[in-house]
Amino acid sequence: MPIPEDVTGEEIDKDVRQELQSLPKTLADDVAKNLVMVARLIDEDPEGAYAYSKVALRLASRVAAVREAGGFAAYANQKYSEALAEFRAARRMTGNADLWPVMADCERGLGRPEKALDMAGAPEVHKLDKAGQVEMRLVAAGARRDMGQLDAAIVTLQSPELASNSMQPWTARLRYAYADALLAAGREPEAREWFAKAVEADRDGSTDASDRLAELDGVEFMDALAEDEDEGERGDAAEEEKD
């Protein structure tokens, strides 16, 4: 896989760089560059990120950070079985519980929401930081919805983090999930309120809460390009009538 000239490998997190020090320097540099490409592409071009992750795995499959990157790349491509295997391998290497929520979400992706709920009640959850615990709550609520348990999903999301006015990295997603569950349960006025709160917290546009709120308010957005084309067609028709 080609590596752009502006990628040096130095862009990776210092902890990952430290992990790679167990490799010969040239190999470590090659792996680092492929990991940079995974991170760079995973949102916009998940297939490309996956291809770079496979190169990194071929070069250094015994490095936990490489297995973790491979897991996230597979996850982004909905290859949940492969992602779960990579996450499990990374966790065995580190003993870290940080990947527990995304592993549970892989179980959801594989059609096993009951397994995801079992994981939500496991001791590993207590080892997670606040962000990880919120993520686990989101996964558990999703599993409840997978099983058709809308009311239980709503209750699962009701938490001190949801009620807090403090803006955290997870706030917008938590409020959005709660609003979406309320809407699915037919509680539209409450859903609208929480979509508005999600918009308030979503400073980087990580959700489409503003679109969902506008939809509930009956606001329709016209495609600017399509509108220009329509104007052009009407203008052409008018010219033809004059002729």
Short mmCIF file of all heavy atoms in Angstrom, two decimals, residues 5 25 32 38 109 111 116 135 154 191 197 216:
data_model
loop_
_atom_site.label_atom_id
_atom_site.label_comp_id
_atom_site.label_asym_id
_atom_site.label_seq_id
_atom_site.Cartn_x
_atom_site.Cartn_y
_atom_site.Cartn_z
N GLU A 5 3.89 10.98 1.05
CA GLU A 5 5.18 11.50 1.49
C GLU A 5 5.10 12.29 2.79
O GLU A 5 6.08 12.38 3.54
CB GLU A 5 5.78 12.39 0.39
CG GLU A 5 6.21 11.61 -0.85
CD GLU A 5 6.87 12.51 -1.89
OE1 GLU A 5 7.04 13.72 -1.60
OE2 GLU A 5 7.20 12.01 -2.97
N LYS A 25 14.00 -0.82 14.18
CA LYS A 25 13.60 0.54 13.87
C LYS A 25 12.93 0.68 12.51
O LYS A 25 11.88 1.32 12.38
CB LYS A 25 14.79 1.49 13.94
CG LYS A 25 14.37 2.96 13.77
CD LYS A 25 15.51 3.90 13.89
CE LYS A 25 15.03 5.35 13.86
NZ LYS A 25 14.08 5.65 12.79
N ALA A 32 4.35 2.08 11.97
CA ALA A 32 3.81 3.37 12.42
C ALA A 32 3.13 4.11 11.28
O ALA A 32 2.04 4.67 11.44
CB ALA A 32 4.93 4.22 13.02
N VAL A 38 -4.30 4.28 8.88
CA VAL A 38 -5.55 3.75 9.43
C VAL A 38 -6.33 4.86 10.12
O VAL A 38 -7.52 5.06 9.88
CB VAL A 38 -5.28 2.59 10.41
CG1 VAL A 38 -6.58 2.16 11.09
CG2 VAL A 38 -4.66 1.40 9.69
N GLY A 109 -23.54 -6.52 16.69
CA GLY A 109 -23.41 -6.59 15.24
C GLY A 109 -23.53 -8.01 14.71
O GLY A 109 -23.96 -8.22 13.58
N GLY A 111 -25.55 -10.12 15.91
CA GLY A 111 -26.90 -10.60 16.19
C GLY A 111 -27.04 -11.27 17.54
O GLY A 111 -27.93 -12.10 17.74
N ALA A 116 -24.29 -9.11 24.54
CA ALA A 116 -23.89 -7.73 24.83
C ALA A 116 -24.40 -7.30 26.20
O ALA A 116 -23.69 -6.64 26.97
CB ALA A 116 -24.41 -6.78 23.75
N GLU A 135 -20.17 4.68 27.38
CA GLU A 135 -20.20 3.93 26.13
C GLU A 135 -20.87 2.57 26.34
O GLU A 135 -21.65 2.11 25.50
CB GLU A 135 -18.77 3.73 25.62
CG GLU A 135 -18.69 3.27 24.17
CD GLU A 135 -19.23 4.28 23.18
OE1 GLU A 135 -19.05 5.49 23.40
OE2 GLU A 135 -19.86 3.87 22.20
N ILE A 154 -34.86 2.98 27.24
CA ILE A 154 -34.99 4.34 27.76
C ILE A 154 -34.50 4.40 29.21
O ILE A 154 -33.73 5.29 29.59
CB ILE A 154 -36.47 4.81 27.67
CG1 ILE A 154 -36.84 5.03 26.19
CG2 ILE A 154 -36.69 6.07 28.48
CD1 ILE A 154 -38.32 5.23 25.96
N ALA A 191 -38.95 13.56 23.00
CA ALA A 191 -37.86 13.33 22.04
C ALA A 191 -37.37 14.66 21.47
O ALA A 191 -36.15 14.88 21.36
CB ALA A 191 -38.34 12.42 20.91
N LYS A 197 -31.51 19.30 23.22
CA LYS A 197 -30.39 19.26 24.16
C LYS A 197 -29.16 18.63 23.53
O LYS A 197 -28.02 19.03 23.84
CB LYS A 197 -30.80 18.47 25.41
CG LYS A 197 -31.83 19.20 26.28
CD LYS A 197 -32.15 18.39 27.52
CE LYS A 197 -33.14 19.16 28.41
NZ LYS A 197 -33.44 18.42 29.66
N LEU A 216 -38.60 17.02 13.09
CA LEU A 216 -39.73 17.01 14.03
C LEU A 216 -40.50 18.33 13.99
O LEU A 216 -41.70 18.35 14.22
CB LEU A 216 -39.21 16.75 15.45
CG LEU A 216 -38.80 15.31 15.78
CD1 LEU A 216 -38.18 15.24 17.16
CD2 LEU A 216 -39.99 14.37 15.69
#
